[in-house]
Amino acid sequence: MYNLSDIKGIHLEPTSKCQARCPQCGRWDFDEGRQVNKINPLITDREGRSSCLDQIDFKDFVKWFPPKFVTQLKYLYMCGTAGDPILADDCLKILAYLRVHNPKMDLSVHTNGGCKSKEWWTKLAKLRVKAIFGIDGLEDTHSLYRVNTKWKTVIKNACYFIRAGGNAEWQMLVFKHNEHQILKCSELSKKLGFKSFRYEHTTRFSGKNSERYPVFNPKGEITHYLEPSSISSKYSCDDSLQPKSINCIAKSRSEIYVAANGRVLPCCHMESCFIYDPDHIEDYKEKIKVVPNLHEQSLKQIFDSLYFRRIQKSWGEDPLFVCSNTCGVCTNKTYQQSGTINF
């Protein structure tokens, strides 16, 4: 697939911890579509313990990615599959280490922006890190999906970051309840000093909850429903059709994914299959068998084991379900509408 010396980018999930309770997030366990008040049992820590969250310590990060390796990178972005990067205890230390050893590389953090102090956001800005804030509407709609985050707090933190010279992007997930606010959010983001505004439609409506998704409080009571935007196009691909080829996004970017428990995979989509879909997990284990982890092997050992080449080899024979669903060239596949405005 690629050699260690070819790697130009890392998608890092520094922690699986998060203070929010977004209804469709894989961090939570679900019972017949109902979010229950416990951690998803498919989420494991570095020791393989079920329903246990984890994080990457600074000491481990430096061991895994020494200065010589850091110098070859073009970018690193922190974006959680289950957690929010800024909840990692060593988030700033890791970013500062990268900036020292590779002043020109692009660094970015995806976050709900709902916590940390003014001093923390100022330090992040001084490291020349781009911050992508998940702000899903205005004050009356934002927390309908970003449960446990407060719109005013997120905006305040974003302003701390921007005033300290930070490059901020407002990223909005669009639902039926906030689709009418896209323009207003765009205008407000420009007024507040965001460098760009992006909107996109979630792909997490599926099965019996494909049209109306119930949101539960910790007591198990339905508080409201989420519905897909009426202006979005639906994602569709007939699983019975074998893709003609796999156009791997991770390979095209020369990128690897590192999870909070140290697991190394080509991309976050493969990580998602480990916490969302037991069938995809079984498919992966049957075809690939091993799940490399930096707590057990060095990055060089993982590449020398031809792990990534084994995944690539599967594309010409019997592709992994996750590869087919995510990067398979399929004639009847359509994508969610999205857009970015740069100011």
Side-chain angles (χ1 to χ4, degrees):
M1 186 170 182
Y2 29 50
N3 299 312
L4 180 58
S5 59
D6 295 329
I7 298 302
K8 300 302 179 187
I10 296 177
H11 176 178
L12 184 74
E13 181 185 40
T15 183
S16 46
K17 298 185 295 181
C18 184
Q19 88 284 19
R21 285 182 55 87
C22 300
Q24 295 169 315
C25 177
R27 191 174 66 263
W28 298 101
D29 194 14
F30 293 85
D31 180 15
E32 296 183 352
R34 167 184 162 184
Q35 180 178 313
V36 295
N37 196 27
K38 62 179 182 179
I39 300 298
N40 179 351
L42 295 178
I43 291 180
T44 60
D45 64 7
R46 67 192 67 187
E47 296 178 6
R49 294 177 297 185
S50 180
S51 300
C52 289
L53 305 180
D54 211 335
Q55 65 178 345
I56 296 173
D57 301 323
F58 177 72
K59 182 176 68 174
D60 286 330
F61 185 86
V62 174
K63 177 183 176 181
W64 298 344
F65 309 112
K68 184 178 179 181
F69 176 77
V70 170
T71 59
Q72 80 179 47
L73 297 176
K74 298 293 185 182
Y75 65 90
L76 178 144
Y77 63 99
M78 295 182 174
C79 184
T81 302
D84 191 300
I86 71 173
L87 268 292
D89 293 342
D90 292 340
C91 177
L92 284 178
K93 288 182 69 175
I94 290 172
L95 291 168
Y97 166 77
L98 292 166
R99 180 56 73 217
V100 167
H101 293 288
N102 193 334
K104 294 183 179 180
M105 73 181 297
D106 291 329
L107 297 174
S108 59
V109 173
H110 293 246
T111 177
N112 64 51
C115 61
K116 298 297 182 181
S117 65
K118 178 180 179 180
E119 290 72 25
W120 193 95
W121 288 107
T122 299
K123 288 179 181 178
L124 184 68
K126 299 305 180 184
L127 289 171
R128 293 183 285 115
V129 176
K130 179 178 180 180
I132 297 92
F133 290 85
I135 310 176
D136 301 334
L138 301 176
E139 186 173 6
D140 60 329
T141 60
H142 167 77
S143 297
L144 292 176
Y145 182 72
R146 303 277 175 174
V147 179
N148 274 11
T149 69
K150 297 181 179 180
W151 188 84
K152 285 185 178 179
T153 298
V154 178
I155 294 297
K156 178 182 68 176
N157 290 337
C159 288
Y160 286 151
F161 178 73
I162 292 168
R163 289 167 188 163
N167 175 4
E169 177 174 292
W170 179 317
Q171 190 172 92
M172 177 181 178
L173 280 179
V174 181
F175 299 86
K176 186 175 181 179
H177 65 258
N178 65 1
E179 61 184 12
H180 62 290
Q181 295 179 336
I182 294 176
L183 180 59
K184 288 184 178 179
C185 288
S186 171
E187 292 173 342
L188 178 59
S189 67
K190 183 177 181 180
K191 180 179 179 180
L192 293 175
F194 284 82
K195 298 293 185 182
S196 57
F197 171 84
R198 178 175 176 80
Y199 68 91
E200 55 186 45
H201 301 268
T202 178
T203 59
R204 291 183 176 177
F205 288 94
S206 61
K208 65 180 181 180
N209 293 323
S210 61
E211 298 297 333
R212 204 162 184 247
Y213 196 99
V215 179
F216 297 86
N217 63 22
K219 295 180 180 180
E221 304 164 334
I222 296 178
T223 57
H224 58 283
Y225 289 88
L226 299 176
E227 297 178 72
S229 167
S230 62
I231 59 176
S232 67
S233 58
K234 292 186 177 180
Y235 176 93
S236 65
C237 185
D238 187 346
D239 291 338
S240 66
L241 296 178
Q242 184 74 5
K244 295 180 180 179
S245 62
I246 303 295
N247 183 18
C248 178
I249 298 173
K251 181 184 177 184
S252 67
R253 295 175 177 173
S254 297
E255 176 183 300
I256 58 172
Y257 174 88
V258 180
N261 60 7
R263 186 157 52 205
V264 179
L265 299 165
C267 66
C268 63
H269 301 288
M270 198 167 288
E271 172 67 11
S272 292
C273 86
F274 278 88
I275 65 175
Y276 280 111
D277 198 325
D279 291 337
H280 282 201
I281 295 175
E282 291 305 313
D283 175 65
Y284 175 94
K285 289 182 176 179
E286 179 182 340
K287 295 171 182 175
I288 307 302
K289 297 181 173 55
V290 298
V291 185
N293 193 299
L294 286 167
H295 287 292
E296 301 166 357
Q297 298 172 278
S298 70
L299 196 58
K300 183 179 185 303
Q301 289 173 327
I302 292 171
F303 274 86
D304 287 348
S305 72
L306 304 183
Y307 163 73
F308 289 102
R309 294 185 185 278
R310 190 179 308 172
I311 292 176
Q312 182 174 347
K313 185 178 179 181
S314 76
W315 298 340
E317 302 167 354
D318 185 14
L320 292 168
F321 292 160
V322 63
C323 293
S324 296
N325 290 354
T326 305
C327 296
V329 178
C330 185
T331 56
N332 71 330
K333 184 181 291 186
T334 58
Y335 294 91
Q336 298 288 335
Q337 181 183 2
S338 63
T340 301
I341 302 172
N342 295 308
F343 304 122

